[in-house]
Amino acid sequence: MTTASADPNDWWRSAVVYQIYPRSFADHDGDGTGDVRGIIDHLPHLATLGVDALWVSPWYPSPMADGGYDISDYCAIAPEFGTLADAEELVARAHEAGLRVLLDLVPNHTSDAHPLFQRALAGGPDAPERELFHFRPGRGDGSEPPTNWVAMFGGSAWTRVTEPDGTPGPWYLGLFTPEQPDWNWENPAVAEMFDDVLRFWFDRGIDGFRIDVADSMVKDMSFPDLPIDPRTGVATLEKIVGGPLRDRPEVEHIHRRWRAVADSYDPPRVFVSEAWLTPAPRLAKFVAPGRLHTTFNFDHLNCAWDRDSLRGVINATEKAYAEVGAPSTWVLSNHDTPRVASRYGKAVTGRMFDADGNVTDSRVGPGGWQAMLELPTDLALGRRRARAAALLELALPGGAYVYQGDELGLDEVEDLPDEARQDPTFARTNHEIWGRDGCRVPLPWSGTEPPFGFGPGTGQPWLPQPARWTGQTVADQEADPTSHLALYRALLAERRSDPALRGPDFAWVDDAPETVLAFTRGDAFACWVNFGPDAVELPAAYAVVLASEPLTDGRLGADQAVWLRLSRPGR
Ligand code: TEU
């Protein structure tokens, strides 16, 4: 039997990484916004939970046009989040608690408040800083954008500038919002600048970076128009193989360059790539030898709660990543996607995949989350499935991600008042797409009413918390052995104690009932998940180690999962 690697530098191959969205994690100073000291205050929560690492979403100075992904200084901490000294203290305290720390690198774009972009604007047509961005003349008399590209969060991907003398000027590219101009990676100065950013933080002891939109830095510099998506009527930027914007082969050079910087440190630092590419082989090449280390497996996140679809995704993932010698990862949600407990309680729970891991429908996708969000939610069902999904995720080989609040089974806050919504998508789509605020509502820590201990006193957080979270705080769940939190703690403790769960061995149990997804890890561990409506018998040779919920008559019911260990040979 193969067990987990003994090399401590391989920690990332089986790590469980907890995502912190700093605005919404914990507020130490009481201004309604989470901060670095709030993270320090709650490190014991993460250590007790049993994760291996934390990834902190951007905490850098930012006008917050895109929740911090519009960065005006890559080497500082936003004043509302704290100071560089606080960040250094967090890294040191996390390391003392046995937790590694990943930060968020956003290399595709910056903020329009970044000094270099400001100089590009203020310096007029000949400003050398314009070469750092994609400034292009408009079409026709200059008043039409250079291409038909539509930005991720709505509207044109091009914004026309006004020159310092008041005349209309060229257009600049921003694939997300106008406040996020894209860097021009054809310019070597950009690559050098990002090497320095990596070193700045690596020198401060961080263990690695999550890389935002790791597939999009290189553009087709002939700037062709995109085909119109018949579903949306606009030129979509997504998912076009061989298209001008995503997954261009030259991004490999950038990945290798970063890898060399990471490998020059002792211990080597690591990267996880964020790229919404499918199917698995398209993404797995990002983690080929010499490139990045791991990549979020968004096929898993997108996949419906459906036995055959999940089996197809797991098979395709295992195959594609094994071919490049990289571990798989598993991810159920993040700060961009509806909460898993809500998603799994809807009539459509995600995309369907075939046995080879290819998407066979497109019910989720551009604008698709909105269609899903508008479906009614059976939250009891969603939570039941979310518990089972945690057993499945944490039993699969490779790394896993836990988004803050998923360990509490929090639901998507779909009923935020319009005036509270801050995600740029909402304003830029005429309020048609609610956007991502519903999964970013500040965490409930204690107490019986908002702010639920998010900050000191009674001041309310930057997004309102629903009163229905009463009883679901960390404190409530710590006191309840049947809680979502208690389940996560037990799962993570078991995962830590069993080397088979951290090693690469994985095999399907082919004689399980047809509604069940069942697999073994090593010689003695098995995970069973029942997707069917009827309860099934469990294999007699195994004892239940952990169950997503109490079993009735020892049988595995609908939407339940168990971790099993061989109790006697000869099954
Ligand atoms: O997201 C990348 C991205 O492409 C997302 O827009 C994704 O497709 C969508 O949210 C799926 O629902 C990253 C960050 O995670 C996101 O928060 C940023 O807004 C975006 O990059 C721009 O930096």
Side-chain angles (χ1 to χ4, degrees):
M1 181 179 107
T2 327
T3 53
S5 163
D7 184 346
N9 288 345
D10 279 350
W11 65 273
W12 50 275
R13 288 188 166 269
S14 60
V16 179
V17 181
Y18 184 96
Q19 180 189 355
I20 291 182
Y21 188 69
R23 278 208 286 184
S24 304
F25 185 71
D27 172 20
H28 178 89
D29 65 8
D31 65 356
T33 292
D35 44 41
V36 183
R37 298 219 73 83
I39 305 174
I40 295 173
D41 293 343
H42 290 288
L43 280 175
H45 173 67
L46 304 180
T48 313
L49 183 59
V51 296
D52 301 293
L54 36 129
W55 145 41
V56 189
S57 277
W59 58 5
Y60 318 103
S62 163
M64 291 280 165
D66 180 22
Y69 284 86
D70 47 320
I71 297 169
S72 54
D73 181 351
Y74 289 84
C75 297
I77 300 291
E80 65 268 37
F81 291 159
T83 64
L84 195 54
D86 293 334
E88 287 173 337
E89 183 179 335
L90 169 64
V91 174
R93 301 269 290 267
H95 285 167
E96 279 161 28
L99 298 162
R100 282 162 163 116
V101 180
L102 308 179
L103 301 185
D104 211 313
L105 187 75
V106 185
N108 179 70
H109 46 267
T110 180
S111 160
D112 59 357
H114 194 287
L116 291 171
F117 189 74
Q118 285 295 313
R119 270 186 250 155
L121 291 184
D126 299 324
E129 289 83 3
R130 289 201 181 179
E131 300 301 318
L132 296 167
F133 303 94
H134 293 291
F135 280 83
R136 309 278 303 172
R139 286 203 278 215
D141 63 358
S143 65
E144 295 295 316
T147 70
N148 67 354
W149 302 349
V150 170
M152 280 294 296
F153 302 137
S156 173
W158 297 94
T159 304
R160 193 169 196 187
V161 303
T162 302
E163 298 295 8
D165 66 4
T167 57
W171 301 66
Y172 67 87
L173 179 66
L175 290 186
F176 288 86
T177 68
E179 293 85 3
Q180 292 165 292
D182 279 41
W183 292 110
N184 174 12
W185 276 84
E186 304 297 318
N187 186 333
V190 171
E192 283 159 23
M193 187 173 66
F194 275 95
D195 289 352
D196 290 344
V197 174
L198 292 177
R199 291 203 180 92
F200 178 88
W201 291 105
F202 289 160
D203 288 345
R204 280 163 182 75
I206 68 135
D207 301 280
F209 275 104
R210 172 256 192 199
I211 296 173
D212 192 65
V213 283
D215 58 344
S216 298
M217 288 82 69
V218 181
K219 280 87 184 176
D220 178 343
M221 296 301 281
S222 72
F223 293 96
D225 270 343
L226 282 168
I228 305 294
D229 182 335
R231 290 176 303 165
T232 57
V234 299
T236 181
L237 300 186
E238 283 221 279
K239 320 279 175 329
I240 297 170
V241 181
L245 294 165
R246 299 195 130 189
D247 193 19
R248 296 190 64 78
E250 300 84 358
V251 293
E252 175 173 357
H253 307 308
I254 301 174
H255 294 170
R256 288 186 183 280
R257 178 180 183 119
W258 291 336
R259 179 64 179 252
V261 177
D263 282 349
S264 73
Y265 280 79
D266 182 22
R269 311 306 203 241
V270 304
F271 297 114
V272 50
S273 126
E274 190 245 14
W276 290 76
L277 298 174
T278 188
R282 213 176 152 195
L283 203 47
K285 66 180 186 293
F286 278 39
V287 288
R291 289 184 70 172
L292 306 175
H293 297 73
T294 60
T295 178
F296 294 115
N297 181 0
F298 290 128
D299 284 349
H300 177 226
L301 189 157
N302 276 326
C303 186
W305 181 249
D306 175 271
R307 177 194 179 275
D308 292 343
S309 274
L310 278 162
R311 192 180 157 110
V313 166
I314 294 167
N315 269 335
T317 302
E318 284 298 293
K319 181 167 179 283
Y321 289 80
E323 277 171 10
V324 292
S328 304
T329 68
W330 310 99
V331 53
L332 288 169
S333 73
N334 64 27
H335 66 296
D336 292 332
T337 60
R339 288 273 186 194
V340 64
S342 295
R343 255 169 34 221
Y344 281 177
K346 293 181 183 281
V348 175
T349 53
R351 285 180 166 176
M352 302 297 275
F353 288 79
D354 68 16
D356 297 319
N358 296 303
V359 177
T360 57
D361 69 9
S362 51
R363 290 179 295 182
V364 182
W369 292 125
Q370 181 64 23
M372 259 177 101
L373 283 173
E374 288 176 12
L375 297 171
T377 308
D378 176 345
L379 194 54
L381 176 66
R383 287 225 169 91
R384 181 183 172 95
R385 289 175 171 170
R387 292 174 72 103
L391 269 74
L392 173 60
E393 176 184 25
L394 295 171
L396 288 168
Y401 288 84
V402 179
Y403 174 49
Q404 66 178 37
D406 276 0
E407 80 279 25
L408 306 176
L410 292 185
D411 55 309
E412 179 79 7
V413 185
E414 294 167 0
D415 52 355
L416 283 169
D418 280 2
E419 60 279 9
R421 293 191 189 276
Q422 308 214 4
D423 190 348
T425 314
F426 187 60
R428 295 183 61 77
T429 62
N430 265 330
H431 298 189
E432 273 174 28
I433 297 183
W434 297 338
R436 302 161 294 177
D437 292 309
C439 65
R440 299 176 176 181
V441 173
L443 290 191
W445 291 95
S446 60
T448 53
E449 58 187 10
F452 293 115
F454 173 67
T458 55
Q460 294 301 307
W462 69 278
L463 275 176
Q465 299 160 314
R468 66 174 177 274
W469 281 1
T470 304
Q472 287 183 63
T473 65
V474 172
D476 293 319
Q477 298 205 22
E478 279 184 324
D480 174 4
T482 69
S483 67
H484 224 90
L485 178 60
L487 178 69
Y488 260 88
R489 285 183 177 177
L491 292 169
L492 290 167
E494 187 62 30
R495 182 177 161 112
R496 278 181 169 237
S497 72
D498 187 343
L501 281 173
R502 288 176 282 119
D505 279 6
F506 171 88
W508 292 114
V509 175
D510 285 322
D511 58 354
E514 63 178 13
T515 62
V516 170
L517 204 57
F519 54 90
T520 56
R521 301 293 314 282
D523 300 331
F525 178 96
C527 175
W528 281 46
V529 189
N530 186 7
F531 292 84
D534 302 319
V536 300
E537 295 293 338
L538 288 168
Y542 283 80
V544 174
V545 180
L546 280 165
S548 59
E549 290 171 310
L551 305 182
T552 305
D553 301 329
R555 288 154 64 87
L556 187 65
D559 299 309
Q560 290 186 332
V562 280
W563 283 7
L564 303 169
R565 185 155 293 119
L566 202 58
S567 53
R568 56 191 153 85
R571 191 188 143 212

